[in-house]
Amino acid sequence: MSLRTRLLCLAALIAWCWASVPAVAHARVERYAVIIGNDRGAAEETPLRYAGSDAARVHEVLRDLGGFAPVDMVMLHNENADTVRSTLIAVNARIRAAMSAPDVQVLLLVYYSGHADSEDLHLGATHFSIHELTQLVSGSAASFRLVVLDACRSGALTRLKGGRVVAPFAIEQSETLSNNGLAFLTASSVNEDAQESDELRGSFFTHAFVSGLLGAADADGDGSVVLAEAYRYAYEATLRATSRTLAGTQHPTFRYDLRGQGELVLTEPAARASDRARLHFPSGIGFLLFRDDANGAVVAEVSEHDARRVLSVRPGRYFVRGRGLDVLYEGAVLAGAGTSTSVDLVQLSRIEYARLVRKGGAETKLAHGPEVGLRARTALANANTPCFGGFVGYGMDLRSWGAGARLSACSSGSDNRVLRTTTNAYDAEARVHHAWDISTAWFELAVGGGVSVFTQHYEPQGRALARTSLVPFVSLGVGAGLSLAHGFRLGLDLATETHFFSIQNSWDAPAHAQPSVGLRTSLMVGKEL
């Protein structure tokens, strides 16, 4: 074959390849969003706390990372059905006008957070049919339409004619969504309630969905989050979080209509790295990220199970909270524009489990464990030397209060020209306390009571009879301590003890109670189980 013939064949091959590239590869993509949050449902329904803030979080992440221009986004908060209907019709009209231009593709995304049943969205006192919503979205001229519903029983939408439910791990690479079709992503199945979380300050599903769009769902690490990745992440995170709730497990659902192959990109964290900040989280620990401080809005979460542990966030100050097996990590993080910052456990404060319960940061409301220590008590009425000994006990911490019980023993005595007396005291005490935490230290105020068994022996024997007496007492004290590693605690307390001795001044006089006040100090080592 001559050189001229080879060049002609090569030119023909290049021309064929160029002609084979779909026109959409060069199309301009315009993105429109209608985002709806309704805290109020029907009169008999309890108002939601976070539907409006959930919608605001979705609006923010789509604007910052999804390529949605603010002018093409409509945010509706606590609006009625007529307003939602007219808004969707108006946006569809804008999309038809945009599609008239050559080489233009349009994405329409509709998000709703609020009350619903299997038939209607509950927009205050008005109802908006899910069927009508589906008709308005399906009839849009947009190249691709995505509906995300975070509402009770929203999974009924995926059972409409023409749809099919897809198992969460059954979306093979060959089944990835095209950029020309229709998809529905819902927070729950047809018979389930969508749940909110006070800790997350939002719904479980939207929290997971937004966390995924910020980068946690980027399973292949290519810097973009596609719809299939966002669904998988939201499904797994919602399932995992709600499996521990009283209402039970919540199953997000996915319905799609395929046309061709390809993937719908929802956000591109890597493409906007220059004006964003990247936070890297250590593996094996789940982290919540708050804006500004611990009382700020929840931004996102990285689960201990996530392989991808990078979030793209706005530059600024953040507060991170990581949950280990028996310790909480907390601290501030500064994220600068265009920077990549690693969250370092060494630079975070450690909060051991008892303090974690008191802060309300533990799944259980009770922390408990054994304690041992040394004890010293000033001389009581039946001795003239201090009483030295030790104790064993068991303590527990609740959200606001704690309680414990201790068994102790100590020995003291007295000596005069006639007798040497040895006095042993055996105490059983129960007490309650209230604690306050400052950094790794804690302080407490305690009140308690119990009974002491005193035994007295005399030398030389025979000059006086051995005696045993049972004496009640009450105590009031203060304490302080440090939380150490691996659940260990070190504490020191000081308390007053008031014993009520039974005194008989003469053999024919009645006995009466006589209080005797002493001071007691204890050095304790404890271990949270």
Side-chain angles (χ1 to χ4, degrees), residues 191-479:
N191 295 316
E192 293 176 344
D193 292 329
Q195 303 173 49
E196 290 187 320
S197 166
D198 287 331
E199 180 184 14
L200 302 178
R201 302 166 198 172
S203 79
F204 287 105
F205 170 78
T206 293
H207 173 73
F209 185 59
V210 170
S211 297
L213 295 181
L214 287 171
D218 183 15
D220 57 9
D222 65 352
S224 298
V225 177
V226 300
L227 179 57
E229 289 176 324
Y231 166 68
R232 288 189 184 97
Y233 185 87
Y235 180 94
E236 295 173 12
T238 302
L239 200 70
R240 195 162 48 235
T242 57
S243 67
R244 299 189 292 265
T245 66
L246 183 62
T249 304
Q250 178 182 322
H251 300 78
T253 62
F254 189 26
R255 170 198 169 193
Y256 62 88
D257 178 13
L258 296 180
R259 301 181 194 178
Q261 301 298 323
E263 290 179 325
L264 175 66
V265 176
L266 293 182
T267 58
E268 295 181 289
R272 290 161 175 80
S274 60
D275 56 356
R276 302 276 290 183
R278 289 161 58 89
L279 292 180
H280 298 255
F281 295 86
S283 61
I285 296 176
F287 283 89
L288 271 179
L289 182 67
F290 301 82
R291 185 168 285 122
D292 298 326
D293 54 36
N295 297 315
V298 176
V299 176
E301 181 177 12
V302 175
S303 166
E304 66 270 24
H305 305 283
D306 293 343
R308 184 68 175 169
R309 312 191 63 78
V310 181
L311 294 177
S312 171
V313 297
R314 288 180 170 186
R317 182 182 178 87
Y318 292 89
F319 184 87
V320 297
R321 176 176 295 151
R323 190 188 303 277
L325 290 178
D326 60 354
V327 66
L328 199 72
Y329 297 94
E330 289 188 341
V333 175
L334 290 176
T339 64
S340 185
T341 304
S342 295
V343 175
D344 188 352
L345 295 182
V346 176
Q347 298 178 357
L348 301 179
S349 298
R350 292 173 55 96
I351 301 176
E352 296 298 331
Y353 196 65
R355 299 174 62 234
L356 179 59
V357 168
R358 288 198 291 267
K359 290 168 65 71
E363 293 176 8
T364 179
K365 300 184 184 301
L366 175 67
H368 57 93
E371 52 191 32
V372 297
L374 301 175
R375 171 173 291 185
R377 184 166 56 192
T378 58
L380 297 173
N382 53 5
N384 60 14
T385 60
C387 199
F388 295 101
F391 69 90
V392 296
Y394 205 90
M396 63 185 70
D397 282 278
L398 304 171
R399 180 67 59 85
S400 300
W401 294 88
R406 290 179 177 178
L407 297 175
S408 62
C410 66
S411 181
S412 64
S414 61
D415 194 1
N416 56 39
R417 295 179 180 180
V418 180
L419 290 174
R420 178 182 295 113
T421 306
T422 299
T423 302
N424 297 319
Y426 306 94
D427 297 344
E429 179 187 14
R431 63 177 190 156
V432 295
H433 67 265
H434 192 289
W436 295 267
D437 297 301
I438 301 177
S439 185
T440 59
W442 47 265
F443 302 88
E444 68 178 25
L445 178 65
V447 60
V451 63
S452 295
V453 177
F454 292 100
T455 64
Q456 291 181 302
H457 302 277
Y458 302 95
E459 294 181 6
Q461 297 183 9
R463 306 294 288 275
L465 296 177
R467 293 192 304 173
T468 299
S469 55
L470 190 68
V471 181
F473 70 91
V474 295
S475 63
L476 177 65
V478 295

Side-chain angles (χ1 to χ4, degrees), residues 61 68 95 121 135 208 212 237 280 286 354 361 366 379 412 441 475 480 520:
V61 71
F68 288 77
I95 290 174
L121 307 181
Q135 293 268 331
H280 298 255
L366 175 67
S412 64
S475 63
R520 179 198 71 202

Side-chain angles (χ1 to χ4, degrees), residues 38 40-42 45 48 112-123 127-128 130 149-154 188 192-194:
N38 264 64
R40 299 191 301 267
E45 292 176 315
L48 299 173
Y112 172 77
S113 178
H115 283 290
D117 57 32
S118 60
E119 301 292 334
D120 301 304
L121 307 181
H122 299 176
L123 304 170
H127 284 196
F128 187 63
I130 292 179
L149 293 186
D150 190 349
C152 298
R153 296 162 185 84
S154 53
S188 60
E192 293 176 344
D193 292 329

